[in-house]
């Protein structure tokens, strides 16, 4: 079942997610619903806050973004990033491994709003997967960008907080203000 999305202006997007202690049948069902939601809205990543729940859980599937390459290493061996999809990350921790690069981002909680964000190009990820097992991998390119964007959500950080100065035009500020007002009006 696809869940309703939360949009910029909804306070849940600013909430730091509680750590997930263990997998439960309820959480498994929630993960299934998050994948359905991400698919319905054609996203490549979705954080729990974006469906109204402040816990440290995100789902990712970059397979539809064929024109933006990703890299993956598991145990020091190069692997096919698609082989890891779809991906569930619980309580993810990120270690930057190289220099930041600028690249375009959007977010399902910010319809029609895009901008460039500078982030490390390659990161190490430690997390729990959807079966409750510990995983560690190194990723680069789009997957690294996506993992960092989603992990930010789990801490109440949004891509507009990190957006490059050049992308923060007056038009963008106006769009953000409009979206925030619209969201608050619906919530009242
Ligand atoms: Zn987002």
């Amino acid at each position: 079942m696809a869940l309703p999305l939360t949009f910029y202006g909804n306070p849940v997007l600013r909430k730091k997610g509680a750590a997930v202690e263990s997998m439960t049948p309820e959480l498994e069902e929630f993960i299934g619903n998050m994948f359905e939601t991400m698919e319905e809205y054609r996203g490549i990543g979705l954080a729990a806050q974006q469906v109204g729940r402040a816990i440290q859980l995100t789902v990712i599937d970059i397979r539809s973004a064929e024109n933006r390459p990703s890299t993956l290493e598991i145990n020091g061996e190069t692997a096919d990033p698609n082989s890891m999809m779809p991906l569930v990350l619980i309580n993810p921790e990120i270690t930057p491994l190289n220099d930041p690069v600028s690249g375009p981002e959007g977010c399902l909680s910010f319809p029609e709003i895009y901008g460039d964000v500078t982030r490390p190009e390659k990161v190490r990820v430690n997390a729990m997967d959807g079966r409750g097992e510990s995983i560690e991998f190194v990723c680069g390119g789009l997957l690294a960008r996506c993992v960092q964007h989603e992990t930010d959500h789990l801490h109440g950080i949004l891509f507009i907080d990190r957006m490059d100065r050049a992308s923060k035009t007056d038009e963008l500020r106006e769009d953000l203000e409009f979206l925030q007002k619209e969201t608050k009006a619906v919530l009242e």
Side-chain angles (χ1 to χ4, degrees):
M1 180 185 71
L3 304 167
L5 287 176
T6 58
F7 298 104
Y8 180 54
N10 188 320
V12 74
L13 288 173
R14 286 299 185 188
K15 278 197 186 148
K16 187 176 159 56
V20 174
E21 301 299 334
S22 61
M23 283 305 298
T24 61
E26 188 276 328
L27 216 47
E28 273 174 36
E29 191 186 333
F30 180 63
I31 290 169
N33 290 339
M34 282 183 72
F35 276 118
E36 276 188 49
T37 310
M38 183 169 72
E39 217 166 283
E40 175 151 328
Y41 293 97
R42 296 170 196 278
I44 59 169
L46 185 72
Q49 277 83 344
Q50 293 181 279
V51 288
R53 200 162 162 184
I55 58 172
Q56 294 207 27
L57 192 161
T58 177
V59 297
I60 288 172
D61 194 340
I62 53 154
R63 283 176 293 187
S64 61
E66 289 159 358
N67 54 344
R68 296 183 69 186
S70 297
T71 61
L72 177 66
E73 288 163 49
I74 301 171
N75 299 326
E77 306 257 326
T78 303
D80 176 6
N82 285 350
S83 70
M84 215 185 196
M85 301 298 133
L87 181 61
V88 179
L89 295 178
I90 295 168
N91 311 329
E93 280 174 29
I94 297 206
T95 312
L97 297 177
N98 66 1
D99 292 335
V101 290
S102 181
E105 289 187 22
C107 179
L108 291 179
S109 296
F110 294 78
E112 313 287 318
I113 290 173
Y114 302 92
D116 290 332
V117 181
T118 300
R119 301 185 187 272
E121 195 275 331
K122 197 177 190 183
V123 294
R124 173 178 295 113
V125 182
N126 291 86
M128 190 162 91
D129 69 9
R131 288 168 303 182
E133 283 165 23
S134 295
I135 50 168
E136 178 177 313
F137 59 92
V138 170
C139 59
L142 179 66
L143 180 55
R145 181 168 291 283
C146 185
V147 167
Q148 291 175 84
H149 177 116
E150 299 311 328
T151 301
D152 273 351
H153 271 299
L154 305 183
H155 295 273
I157 300 166
L158 301 171
F159 81 132
I160 53 167
D161 304 340
R162 299 195 190 273
M163 204 178 273
D164 294 352
R165 193 175 276 244
S167 289
K168 287 199 135 185
T169 58
D170 287 344
E171 197 191 334
L172 182 119
R173 284 176 209 279
E174 276 170 31
D175 288 349
L176 286 176
E177 212 170 295
F178 183 79
L179 174 60
Q180 196 169 29
K181 271 191 195 149
E182 206 179 44
T183 301
K184 285 184 176 158
V186 171
L187 290 177
E188 267 164 20

